[in-house]
Amino acid sequence: MTIWNNENSEAREGDLVELVGVGYKHIILQLEKDGVLHTHRGVVQHNDLIGKPWGTKTTSHTGNPFFLLQPSLADLIRGIPRSTQIMYPKDIGFILLTLGVGPGTKVLEAGTGSGGLTTALTYSVGNEGHVFSYDKREEQQKTAIRNIEKFGLAKRVTFKIRDIADGFDEVGVDALFLDVPNPYDYLVQVKTALKPGGFFGTILPTTNQVIRLLPELRRNFFSFIEVVETSIRYYKPESERFRPVDRMVAHTGYLIFARPFLTPLEDSLESEDGDPDENSGKNQ
Amino acid sequence: MTIWNNENSEAREGDLVELVGVGYKHIILQLEKDGVLHTHRGVVQHNDLIGKPWGTKTTSHTGNPFFLLQPSLADLIRGIPRSTQIMYPKDIGFILLTLGVGPGTKVLEAGTGSGGLTTALTYSVGNEGHVFSYDKREEQQKTAIRNIEKFGLAKRVTFKIRDIADGFDEVGVDALFLDVPNPYDYLVQVKTALKPGGFFGTILPTTNQVIRLLPELRRNFFSFIEVVETSIRYYKPESERFRPVDRMVAHTGYLIFARPFLTPLEDSLESEDGDPDENSGKNQ
Amino acid sequence: MTIWNNENSEAREGDLVELVGVGYKHIILQLEKDGVLHTHRGVVQHNDLIGKPWGTKTTSHTGNPFFLLQPSLADLIRGIPRSTQIMYPKDIGFILLTLGVGPGTKVLEAGTGSGGLTTALTYSVGNEGHVFSYDKREEQQKTAIRNIEKFGLAKRVTFKIRDIADGFDEVGVDALFLDVPNPYDYLVQVKTALKPGGFFGTILPTTNQVIRLLPELRRNFFSFIEVVETSIRYYKPESERFRPVDRMVAHTGYLIFARPFLTPLEDSLESEDGDPDENSGKNQ
Amino acid sequence: MTIWNNENSEAREGDLVELVGVGYKHIILQLEKDGVLHTHRGVVQHNDLIGKPWGTKTTSHTGNPFFLLQPSLADLIRGIPRSTQIMYPKDIGFILLTLGVGPGTKVLEAGTGSGGLTTALTYSVGNEGHVFSYDKREEQQKTAIRNIEKFGLAKRVTFKIRDIADGFDEVGVDALFLDVPNPYDYLVQVKTALKPGGFFGTILPTTNQVIRLLPELRRNFFSFIEVVETSIRYYKPESERFRPVDRMVAHTGYLIFARPFLTPLEDSLESEDGDPDENSGKNQ
């Protein structure tokens, strides 16, 4: 059980909680005895929150309202201080599902970045699983480590400073995700770490990178290659004028998934008509 | 650890495995000693698979190749025999993330349907969490139960036959998802089962249903209401002619998320300018 | 020939021209002898432009470069001073094509608004066609008239101040477009003005309006009803890093098209299986 | 006035008309005295249609209903017998608007293909404009010519059989559209035919082609380069269950627009911060 998603019906000392104030401003904080939170709308005493049930409304010394909440995973990820491009919830949800990351999964990622995906991975693998997170930039990874520790997830992840050209220490991991600009340079290392038929994924912002990656995947006997863009569109939640919002994110990156094998599948499995099995998920 | 996503490097008797044959045809089966699989491309002996490492290539009696794989979660969900509209991976991934479903989560769903979301939920909550799944159609639920049992996830879920108008047995669950045509009729029941500030979600195919739901959510003091459409577009994974596929899914449903409170947040938290906090996730 | 899209290879006195300066700043102006243009990057003399071939590079008195261009229709529309929501090129192009607006077409629109659609309509109908543009807000229409006059298109359009509840003066027009919030209130007036089987279109921002319009269309014997959203996504035109832009317009409005008849088609033409002809354009 | 979009309120001999029958089956035909139309739902006499007002309901000899309509431009284009990939209305509308094609425009296209875009161009330029359409495949072009003649638009277009590597005969055209796989090979020819600052467009199905085109455009002093994808999503026009259709077109091609100059604009016009003018249409 992580410290924030606990089973208690009220906030306790040490819990990571979320306060929501005027304008739906989100603040994530860890409750400490006698702690004090300074906001633009006044001071809130931690002691006024400790022991209170979720959903409690409190007020700052200036009379502004704040609601006490368990933080959502998406809010935690969105709230991470970022020194690099953050991964978006729209992509993270799809990545977790496609890689099959869940309780007990052993998953490897590189680079760590700001730790957005690391947070989701460590949350999802549970105490029985484990995350191995590589980055070559020490300063970068320190920031991510601080976040993961704040979220109470540190014991589920091993951080390493490494140029992944030198390879990974692990073998037989269930899933492996690369968030680096040049994944095509590390496919041999990926294959060594990932079990045969394991789940590989990567995200690339430009078509040029995808174009460069695809032949390298095949050359290294990766199969079930899928390239996919996700997008989400929010609606204004107004019953009398129900319509989409005016603007949306147009692009984050292309997601590429594949599974490595010891021999090339494609030579064997292409059917005469070239049509993929309709259960293969294309177009879904 | 679920039976299919195990730590072994080879397939064992009792494992749920995936065979992939010509045309990328996926077949999911449970390995049994002396078992026999009949396919359009010949007969495969289970004994030829038991004890073999993942990625092994075998052949049917007619000489057609098959590759031995651990099934992916997405393949399992896509492969579920469906008597109702199935939920799509593009939506399931986003739902899990937004509801914060992970190891240890207690989550309630209704209706069970074909068990696609049930599968993802039971996989994600791990052995420390639990899923409560309600449906009023007994035959329907039986099919879902068979699937969940096949996946080795049965002990993580409690199935109930119930008209949810009569309420849920649980209180204080972390998350609750309704996949019913009229969620607006059950919000009092939802609030009773869900902890304050817990995560509620539902999926509705038509705008009319969303329009009807929104005021009911507010009337029942749900806040942080988000309405969102997800979409994914696949690309042809061809390096020399990289382009999207020709056709795609245009619509599955509108996802609606909200969190219930004891008092209405909106009266307190609307800022003067009405602009939501930019961390609230809108437009992302 | 409109004054801006002329056959000459060089700019003449009286021409509506476009100057493009640093930062791709667009300026639209009418050339006058001895005219002077003041910009943030210096003063440009009209005399330096008159008689010069399209594409000529000139400089302001401060040495900043400006290029002399014929304005594009899209730039003219985007540049219209707007007191109301403007219609977007992505929608206008699709509207013109679907309504079949071209040389010789007689088309009616209400309301005039800022004149964005009016500009495209008057441009497209040529000297043999005609546009009738209604608005009940006199001040509003005056602005549009000024724009249309500046574009040299005034003689192709008749402006009228009218509450269209009182009906239109024209009968037998080829096409009719309503850009009003409540088109469902004017369908009898539309049918009277439009020839049987003529082309009707409207744009509505919210689903509620569409839901209200649809039964009124059927009640008034409109058929071939199509509801469609258009969207466009721009790419960064960079060869080495080819990818979509970061953000895009998520919504402008729902376009609804239909054709009026004297008797209801749908009763007669629904096939047994309910499938529309695949040439009917659905899904395209 | 084209023969099909005429000012008459009734169908005349020689008119191109549209019949719509059960299942919304569209049939386009030219009315001839004593002509006979054979359909799957019976025989229709042309004489029963000649002189009848638009919207008239007639019946075949087997009693099946047919409605008499003026054809829409979109229906004509969709109905063209195609030997090549046809261009879609969603793209054609946007192309016409962006290229500024209207009455009086002189526009050049290559290749002719099945004549879908040719139809829209000849319709739009009116009697004062002209279209020059090149193709190197004589058989291909013959089909297009037959369509254009059927539509009564032949006198507005000059067809030429030519390998466009040999250049175009025209100079100073207003707009030029290439629908060929390798537009990057013909940019010198394009520049010679197009007036400075004229409007160039092309459509390419793959990202690889776009990536190859972009540097060639810059090398040939084209500027205002825009790359854009259009998409449309249809809705089921049902008031009680208003929602998008299930599937849609995911991709037709990337549209690329640019304007040629005698000198490179980009060197002069890049602003310090690199931000384009917000009126430049990006993101719209």
Side-chain angles (χ1 to χ4, degrees):
Chain A
M1 209 58 202
T2 61
I3 60 167
W4 86 82
N5 189 21
N6 60 43
E7 299 177 337
N8 304 316
S9 55
E10 75 284 332
R12 300 193 176 176
E13 197 180 325
D15 278 356
L16 200 68
V17 304
E18 188 170 43
L19 281 190
V20 181
V22 173
Y24 293 97
K25 185 77 187 170
H26 292 240
I27 301 163
I28 287 168
L29 69 155
Q30 190 163 12
L31 292 183
E32 301 167 23
K33 189 161 153 43
D34 301 329
V36 171
L37 173 73
H38 294 270
T39 83
H40 287 294
R41 295 191 185 265
V43 175
V44 177
Q45 304 293 332
H46 288 210
N47 291 354
D48 289 350
L49 304 170
I50 295 172
K52 292 292 162 55
W54 302 117
T56 294
K57 179 180 175 181
T58 186
T59 52
S60 69
H61 83 290
T62 53
N64 280 299
F66 287 90
F67 283 81
L68 173 65
L69 297 176
Q70 290 183 295
S72 78
L73 179 57
D75 283 344
L76 288 180
I77 293 171
R78 290 190 192 108
I80 288 176
R82 59 193 76 175
S83 50
T84 57
Q85 176 68 34
I86 195 79
M87 213 171 288
Y88 279 50
K90 76 181 180 73
D91 293 318
I92 292 178
F94 196 73
I95 290 168
L96 293 178
L97 190 74
T98 307
L99 297 185
V101 175
T105 305
K106 285 184 178 38
V107 59
L108 196 157
E109 72 159 354
T112 308
S114 302
L117 182 60
T118 322
T119 300
L121 293 173
T122 47
Y123 176 67
S124 299
V125 300
N127 289 322
E128 304 152 41
H130 203 74
V131 178
F132 304 91
S133 185
Y134 287 74
D135 209 302
K136 62 180 173 190
R137 299 157 298 178
E138 191 158 2
E139 278 313 305
Q140 176 76 53
Q141 200 178 64
K142 272 185 188 163
T143 310
I145 292 174
R146 270 194 300 275
N147 286 317
I148 300 295
E149 285 173 347
K150 193 170 76 177
F151 300 159
L153 296 164
K155 68 176 182 296
R156 298 179 181 177
V157 56
T158 305
F159 288 101
K160 304 191 179 185
I161 300 296
R162 174 87 53 88
D163 180 342
I164 63 171
D166 297 334
F168 303 105
D169 298 329
E170 295 72 28
V171 292
V173 300
D174 301 302
L176 193 157
F177 193 85
L178 290 188
D179 184 9
V180 298
N182 55 336
Y184 30 81
D185 289 336
Y186 309 118
L187 295 184
V188 170
Q189 292 86 334
V190 166
K191 278 197 76 161
T192 306
L194 201 49
K195 69 168 113 171
F199 297 94
F200 169 70
T202 187
I203 185 167
L204 292 169
T206 74
T207 59
N208 311 68
Q209 291 163 298
V210 181
I211 287 168
R212 192 160 163 193
L213 174 62
L214 291 171
E216 292 303 313
L217 285 172
R218 292 210 175 78
R219 219 165 55 83
N220 284 281
F221 303 165
F222 285 75
S223 193
F224 302 109
I225 302 171
E226 291 188 340
V227 185
V228 60
E229 273 184 303
T230 73
S231 79
I232 60 175
R233 185 168 70 156
Y234 282 91
Y235 281 68
K236 299 186 180 180
E238 298 170 17
S239 181
E240 303 293 322
R241 296 184 51 76
F242 184 56
R243 47 155 292 178
V245 297
D246 295 317
R247 296 182 67 75
M248 62 188 276
V249 170
H251 183 68
T252 51
Y254 300 96
L255 299 176
I256 302 97
F257 301 104
R259 302 174 72 174
F261 291 92
L262 303 174
T263 53
L265 262 74
E266 304 205 338
D267 297 352
S268 311
L269 299 188
E270 287 296 341
S271 66
E272 297 71 19
D273 57 7
D275 275 340
D277 171 22
E278 65 174 30
N279 279 336
S280 69
K282 291 298 187 309
N283 299 338
Q284 298 187 15
Chain B
M1 210 58 203
T2 62
I3 61 166
W4 86 80
N5 189 19
N6 60 44
E7 298 177 338
N8 305 315
S9 55
E10 74 285 332
R12 300 193 178 177
E13 198 180 324
D15 277 358
L16 201 67
V17 304
E18 187 170 42
L19 282 190
V20 180
V22 173
Y24 294 96
K25 184 77 187 170
H26 292 239
I27 301 162
I28 287 169
L29 69 156
Q30 189 163 12
L31 292 184
E32 302 167 20
K33 188 161 153 46
D34 301 329
V36 170
L37 173 72
H38 294 270
T39 83
H40 288 293
R41 296 190 184 267
V43 174
V44 177
Q45 304 294 330
H46 287 210
N47 291 355
D48 289 350
L49 303 169
I50 295 173
K52 292 292 162 56
W54 302 117
T56 292
K57 178 180 175 180
T58 187
T59 52
S60 68
H61 83 290
T62 53
N64 280 298
F66 287 90
F67 283 82
L68 173 66
L69 298 175
Q70 289 182 296
S72 78
L73 179 57
D75 283 344
L76 288 180
I77 293 170
R78 288 188 193 110
I80 288 176
R82 58 192 77 175
S83 50
T84 57
Q85 175 67 35
I86 195 79
M87 213 171 290
Y88 279 50
K90 76 180 180 74
D91 293 318
I92 291 177
F94 195 72
I95 290 168
L96 293 177
L97 191 74
T98 307
L99 297 186
V101 175
T105 305
K106 285 186 178 38
V107 58
L108 196 157
E109 71 159 356
T112 308
S114 302
L117 182 60
T118 322
T119 300
L121 292 173
T122 48
Y123 177 67
S124 299
V125 300
N127 289 322
E128 304 152 41
H130 203 75
V131 178
F132 304 92
S133 185
Y134 288 73
D135 209 301
K136 62 181 173 189
R137 298 157 298 177
E138 191 159 2
E139 278 313 305
Q140 176 76 54
Q141 201 177 65
K142 273 184 187 163
T143 310
I145 292 175
R146 270 193 300 275
N147 287 316
I148 301 295
E149 285 174 345
K150 194 171 77 176
F151 299 159
L153 296 164
K155 67 177 182 296
R156 298 179 180 176
V157 55
T158 304
F159 289 100
K160 303 190 180 186
I161 300 296
R162 175 86 53 88
D163 180 344
I164 63 172
D166 298 333
F168 303 105
D169 298 329
E170 296 72 28
V171 292
V173 299
D174 301 302
L176 193 157
F177 193 86
L178 289 188
D179 184 8
V180 299
N182 55 335
Y184 29 81
D185 289 336
Y186 309 118
L187 295 184
V188 170
Q189 291 87 335
V190 167
K191 278 197 77 163
T192 306
L194 201 50
K195 69 168 112 170
F199 297 93
F200 169 69
T202 187
I203 185 168
L204 292 169
T206 74
T207 59
N208 310 69
Q209 291 163 297
V210 181
I211 287 169
R212 191 160 165 194
L213 174 62
L214 290 171
E216 292 303 313
L217 285 172
R218 291 209 175 79
R219 219 165 55 82
N220 284 280
F221 303 163
F222 284 75
S223 192
F224 302 110
I225 302 172
E226 290 188 341
V227 185
V228 60
E229 274 184 302
T230 73
S231 78
I232 61 175
R233 185 168 70 155
Y234 282 91
Y235 282 68
K236 299 186 180 180
E238 298 170 16
S239 180
E240 303 293 323
R241 296 184 52 76
F242 184 56
R243 48 156 292 180
V245 296
D246 294 317
R247 297 182 67 75
M248 61 187 277
V249 170
H251 183 67
T252 52
Y254 300 96
L255 299 176
I256 302 97
F257 300 104
R259 301 175 72 174
F261 292 92
L262 302 174
T263 53
L265 260 74
E266 305 206 338
D267 297 353
S268 311
L269 300 189
E270 287 294 343
S271 66
E272 296 72 19
D273 56 7
D275 276 340
D277 171 21
E278 65 173 31
N279 279 336
S280 69
K282 291 296 187 310
N283 299 338
Q284 299 188 15
Chain C
M1 209 58 202
T2 61
I3 61 167
W4 86 80
N5 188 20
N6 61 44
E7 299 176 338
N8 304 314
S9 55
E10 75 285 332
R12 298 193 177 176
E13 197 181 325
D15 279 356
L16 200 68
V17 304
E18 188 169 43
L19 282 189
V20 181
V22 173
Y24 293 96
K25 184 79 187 168
H26 291 239
I27 302 162
I28 287 168
L29 69 155
Q30 190 163 12
L31 293 183
E32 299 167 24
K33 189 163 153 43
D34 301 330
V36 171
L37 172 73
H38 295 270
T39 82
H40 287 294
R41 296 192 183 265
V43 175
V44 177
Q45 304 293 332
H46 288 210
N47 291 354
D48 290 350
L49 303 169
I50 296 172
K52 292 292 161 56
W54 303 115
T56 293
K57 177 180 175 179
T58 187
T59 52
S60 69
H61 82 290
T62 53
N64 280 299
F66 287 90
F67 284 81
L68 173 66
L69 298 175
Q70 290 182 293
S72 78
L73 179 57
D75 283 343
L76 287 180
I77 293 170
R78 288 189 193 109
I80 289 176
R82 57 193 77 176
S83 49
T84 57
Q85 175 68 33
I86 197 77
M87 213 171 288
Y88 278 51
K90 76 180 179 76
D91 292 319
I92 292 178
F94 195 74
I95 290 168
L96 293 177
L97 190 76
T98 307
L99 297 185
V101 174
T105 306
K106 285 186 177 40
V107 58
L108 196 156
E109 70 158 357
T112 308
S114 302
L117 182 60
T118 323
T119 300
L121 293 173
T122 50
Y123 177 68
S124 300
V125 300
N127 290 321
E128 304 152 41
H130 204 75
V131 178
F132 304 92
S133 185
Y134 288 73
D135 209 303
K136 62 180 174 189
R137 298 156 298 176
E138 191 159 2
E139 278 313 306
Q140 175 77 54
Q141 200 177 64
K142 272 184 188 163
T143 310
I145 292 174
R146 270 194 300 275
N147 286 317
I148 301 294
E149 284 174 346
K150 193 171 76 175
F151 299 160
L153 295 165
K155 66 176 184 295
R156 298 178 180 176
V157 56
T158 305
F159 289 100
K160 304 192 179 185
I161 299 296
R162 174 86 53 87
D163 180 344
I164 63 172
D166 298 334
F168 303 106
D169 298 329
E170 296 72 28
V171 292
V173 299
D174 301 302
L176 194 156
F177 193 86
L178 288 188
D179 184 9
V180 298
N182 55 337
Y184 30 81
D185 289 335
Y186 309 118
L187 295 184
V188 170
Q189 291 87 334
V190 166
K191 278 197 76 164
T192 307
L194 201 50
K195 69 168 116 174
F199 297 93
F200 169 69
T202 187
I203 185 168
L204 292 170
T206 73
T207 59
N208 311 68
Q209 291 163 298
V210 182
I211 287 169
R212 191 159 165 195
L213 174 63
L214 290 171
E216 291 303 313
L217 285 172
R218 291 209 176 78
R219 219 165 55 82
N220 284 281
F221 303 164
F222 284 74
S223 192
F224 302 109
I225 301 171
E226 290 188 341
V227 184
V228 60
E229 273 184 304
T230 74
S231 78
I232 61 176
R233 185 168 70 155
Y234 281 92
Y235 282 69
K236 300 188 180 180
E238 297 169 17
S239 181
E240 304 293 324
R241 295 184 52 77
F242 184 56
R243 48 157 290 179
V245 296
D246 294 317
R247 296 183 66 77
M248 61 186 277
V249 170
H251 183 68
T252 51
Y254 300 96
L255 299 176
I256 302 97
F257 300 104
R259 302 176 72 174
F261 292 92
L262 302 174
T263 52
L265 261 74
E266 304 205 338
D267 298 353
S268 311
L269 299 188
E270 287 295 342
S271 66
E272 296 72 18
D273 57 6
D275 276 341
D277 172 20
E278 66 174 30
N279 279 335
S280 68
K282 290 297 188 307
N283 299 338
Q284 298 189 12
Chain D
M1 210 61 198
T2 61
I3 62 168
W4 84 79
N5 188 20
N6 61 46
E7 299 176 336
N8 304 316
S9 55
E10 74 286 332
R12 299 191 178 177
E13 198 180 325
D15 277 358
L16 201 67
V17 303
E18 188 170 42
L19 282 189
V20 181
V22 173
Y24 293 95
K25 184 79 187 168
H26 290 239
I27 301 162
I28 287 167
L29 69 155
Q30 188 163 16
L31 293 183
E32 300 168 22
K33 188 162 151 48
D34 302 330
V36 171
L37 173 73
H38 295 271
T39 82
H40 287 293
R41 296 192 185 265
V43 175
V44 176
Q45 303 293 333
H46 287 211
N47 291 354
D48 290 351
L49 302 170
I50 295 172
K52 293 291 162 55
W54 301 118
T56 293
K57 178 180 177 179
T58 187
T59 52
S60 70
H61 82 290
T62 52
N64 280 299
F66 287 90
F67 283 82
L68 174 65
L69 298 176
Q70 290 183 296
S72 77
L73 178 56
D75 283 344
L76 288 180
I77 293 170
R78 288 189 194 110
I80 289 176
R82 58 193 76 174
S83 50
T84 57
Q85 175 68 33
I86 196 77
M87 213 171 289
Y88 279 51
K90 76 181 179 73
D91 293 318
I92 292 177
F94 195 73
I95 290 168
L96 293 177
L97 190 75
T98 307
L99 297 185
V101 174
T105 305
K106 285 184 180 39
V107 58
L108 196 157
E109 71 157 358
T112 308
S114 302
L117 182 61
T118 323
T119 300
L121 292 173
T122 49
Y123 177 67
S124 299
V125 300
N127 289 322
E128 304 152 42
H130 203 75
V131 178
F132 304 92
S133 185
Y134 287 74
D135 209 303
K136 62 180 173 189
R137 298 155 298 177
E138 191 159 3
E139 279 314 305
Q140 175 77 52
Q141 200 178 65
K142 271 184 187 163
T143 310
I145 292 175
R146 270 195 300 275
N147 286 317
I148 301 294
E149 284 174 346
K150 194 171 76 177
F151 300 160
L153 296 165
K155 67 176 183 296
R156 298 178 181 178
V157 57
T158 305
F159 288 101
K160 303 192 180 186
I161 300 297
R162 175 86 51 88
D163 179 342
I164 63 172
D166 298 334
F168 304 105
D169 298 330
E170 295 73 28
V171 293
V173 300
D174 302 302
L176 194 157
F177 193 86
L178 289 188
D179 184 9
V180 299
N182 55 336
Y184 30 81
D185 289 335
Y186 308 119
L187 295 183
V188 171
Q189 293 86 334
V190 166
K191 278 197 77 162
T192 307
L194 201 49
K195 68 168 111 171
F199 298 93
F200 169 69
T202 187
I203 184 169
L204 292 169
T206 73
T207 58
N208 311 69
Q209 292 162 298
V210 181
I211 287 169
R212 190 159 165 194
L213 174 62
L214 290 171
E216 291 303 313
L217 285 172
R218 291 211 175 79
R219 217 164 57 81
N220 284 281
F221 303 164
F222 285 75
S223 193
F224 302 109
I225 302 171
E226 290 188 340
V227 185
V228 60
E229 273 185 303
T230 74
S231 78
I232 60 175
R233 185 168 70 156
Y234 282 92
Y235 282 68
K236 299 188 180 180
E238 299 169 18
S239 180
E240 303 294 324
R241 294 184 54 77
F242 183 57
R243 47 156 291 178
V245 296
D246 294 317
R247 296 182 67 77
M248 62 187 278
V249 170
H251 183 68
T252 52
Y254 300 95
L255 299 176
I256 302 97
F257 300 104
R259 302 175 71 173
F261 292 92
L262 302 174
T263 53
L265 261 74
E266 305 205 337
D267 297 352
S268 310
L269 299 188
E270 287 295 344
S271 66
E272 295 72 18
D273 57 6
D275 276 340
D277 170 24
E278 66 173 30
N279 278 336
S280 68
K282 291 300 187 307
N283 299 338
Q284 299 187 14

